Amino acid sequence: MRRHPLLSYLCVICVLLQVSLAHALAGDDEVLLARAAYDKKNNFALTDSLSRLKELQHPLAPYAEYWWMLSNLDDATPETVNEFLNRNTHIPFADRLRGEWLKKLGKQQNWALFQEVYPQYQLQDPAVACYAAEANALANDAKAFEAARVLWMQAKEQPGNCNQLFDKMQNANVLTDEDLVARFRLALSENRVTLAKGIANRHRAIDATFLKQIDTVNANPQKAITKKTVSVKTPFGKELYLYALNQIAKTGSTQALNAYKFVQPLLNAEQKSYFYGRLAILAAQRHEPEAYQWFRLAEHTQLNRDQLDWFARSTLRQSNWPQLLEVIALMPDDQAEEPNWRYWKGRALKAQNQMLEANGLFAMLSTERHYYGWLAQEELEASMRAQPMEYVPTDADVEAFAKSEAIQRAEALQRLEMRWEAKLEWAAATDNLTDEQLIAAAEYAARQKWYDLAVITADKTKAVHNFNLRYPTPYRDLMQPASNDQALDEAWVYGIIRQESRFMHYAKSGVGAAGLMQVMPATAKWVAGKVGWSNYHHGMLHDLDTNISLGTYYMRYTSDLFNGQETMATAAYNAGPSRAKKWMADVPLEGAIYAETIPFSETRNYVKKVMANAHIYTQRLGLNNIPLKKRLGVIPAKINVDSASISTLNE
């Protein structure tokens, strides 16, 4: 029987693909050996692995060569480094190697070559930036130092080589005593005591006694205030008192105000205002109604963006719409134009019957595809409608994207569970793509079951969208029965998972939460005990079925604690039930206001994103439509929740 020519062709293609895959897989072990050799500084083994990977033409051979270059950078000639960078210019690690080379050149004070290489550097590394400022100073002197002031005014420790730059800036009188005091305050505001001591030590009048006083104040700020143990011979002393007041204010506003009376006569108008600004933001985060007045008393100091946000939230928490408009007017233009403040400005205008202005804001915002866009749609009384799949990529579009060398490397890196490097390759491959190309890339990622990359990529589109890719529904054969078993809204479950793990079952957080639903080990053990799983062990957390069962049980638990109030239950899932209760008000509170005034930025953003996710998943899953504002609901008054029933589990 004669074989059809097309069939013969396909067979040949299949054989070639199998050979190619086998070749790649054969080299995978060598990649891991190369990585291990690099980590162990075994240059002989690394050279051996690199040679074999080049022979195999493995897509990750450039990575082995990159590790070899890092290991041998001290001995590499400029010609060798340049040749490598030119040959690998489109691979993400190229600029990381360039940064390491620049640090080497800066350390050697090879400024001529440094100046040649630096314009090609794209990443942000303060060590490189400090060397660049030194190099520029050779040509521009104080002008270059002035441009480097931004490197000084940081609340965190800068790399060691930056101290050389700061010494030169101070010797050139570019860093003044006022600059030292300003950064001293900044460091203390972030509790970076060691950094603050280093900054103070740059001042000619600071001695070892004062440096010890910093430690004393840090250990017992209340005693330092009441005993007035800090010397105020230099401006640093008063700043240290402000630090002590700030530390006391973290405990309580009343204690801080009482302590303030002891040192108030020592402070000037700006310092008094600074105290009130710090007191106000801490009070606002505790939802104290006096916060607004304390912000008003901070009139002689510059409020930062975070303080202005909480100034506004303090008025929002009280539903004081005229005051909210006043505060938004104080914000820099770019801050006032953020979606949250455009939405709440519209709400404030609407509350005062300024409907023309309010609807103008809502109309613009309603075209944007996010939480505030959906809320703005509802303010316009726009009916909730299914999001159209404006663009569906063709197979040819997807295949064209998949052919790039960057994606071949990303595939290999994913296969070897080198996911950080894979994401860097993906980011480079999807940079500067059109909306249509981004959707094709997202479709490719979805086909590979790289759901996190699919979601992230589809989320980047501006005008053309595909909501099936933005809001995928994998594992529904597990999700639907688990949701039904716990009598949960399946859209809410999907909303949680999209935010927690982007549907990647191997996900693990820095605090130990694991799996699809990012369940904490202690929570998993507690749930397993509740449901009678006597054979449960920690290794089961990454099993899909087990993780979903544990996560949905805990969602049911948090939902029951708050009588089915999803906004509070979502906050509890992220930050723990006791905190979710603590953030309630003494009166019923609109769910959107509760979410906006959550003190933890991580939880605040988490709640808004989960609820927006659930809003869209209602449509994606064909469930009954629920307006987002209704889903957010009304948070009952604090007295209506039984404190004894709320566990501190997972906090």
Side-chain angles (χ1 to χ4, degrees), residues 38 43 46-47 50 54 61-88 93-94 96-98 100-101 104:
Y38 168 70
N43 206 41
L46 177 55
T47 302
L50 172 57
K54 285 183 174 179
Y63 276 80
E65 189 177 4
Y66 164 63
W67 299 325
W68 188 91
M69 288 295 299
L70 283 176
S71 297
N72 295 276
L73 194 57
D74 286 343
D75 301 319
T77 64
E79 292 75 20
T80 301
V81 180
N82 264 325
E83 190 276 331
F84 175 81
L85 290 173
N86 291 335
R87 186 161 34 87
N88 296 285
F93 60 57
R96 300 207 298 277
L97 180 68
R98 186 176 286 111
E100 294 306 310
W101 189 26
K104 172 192 168 184

Side-chain angles (χ1 to χ4, degrees), residues 595-606:
E596 194 68 58
T597 57
I598 290 173
F600 297 173
S601 58
E602 178 193 324
T603 305
R604 182 170 61 252
N605 293 329
Y606 175 90

Side-chain angles (χ1 to χ4, degrees), residues 530-588:
K530 285 285 186 181
V531 299
W533 292 354
S534 57
N535 63 340
Y536 174 78
H537 58 84
H538 178 64
M540 298 168 66
L541 253 182
H542 285 285
D543 174 71
L544 281 171
D545 202 358
T546 302
N547 194 275
I548 291 169
S549 296
L550 293 168
T552 52
Y553 184 98
Y554 190 64
M555 286 180 70
R556 176 76 265 162
Y557 167 72
T558 59
S559 179
D560 287 345
L561 283 178
F562 300 109
N563 300 315
Q565 218 297 330
E566 282 186 7
T567 303
M568 291 193 71
T570 301
Y573 194 90
N574 180 261
S578 292
R579 292 192 183 101
K581 176 186 178 292
K582 184 180 179 181
W583 299 331
M584 299 166 74
D586 293 330
V587 296

Side-chain angles (χ1 to χ4, degrees), residues 19 25 29 127 144 179 192 211 219 257 271-272 342 369 384 458 470 472 529 598 603 647:
V19 170
L25 292 173
D29 287 342
D179 293 323
R192 299 185 185 274
L211 297 179
L257 287 168
Q271 290 163 340
K272 292 173 185 176
R342 282 188 286 144
R369 307 305 193 190
M384 184 174 175
R470 278 197 184 192
I598 290 173
T603 305
S647 166

Side-chain angles (χ1 to χ4, degrees), residues 59 77 124 223 231 268 286 383 402 536 541:
T77 64
Q124 300 293 323
K223 184 179 179 181
S231 167
N268 61 32
R286 290 191 291 262
S383 60
Y536 174 78
L541 253 182

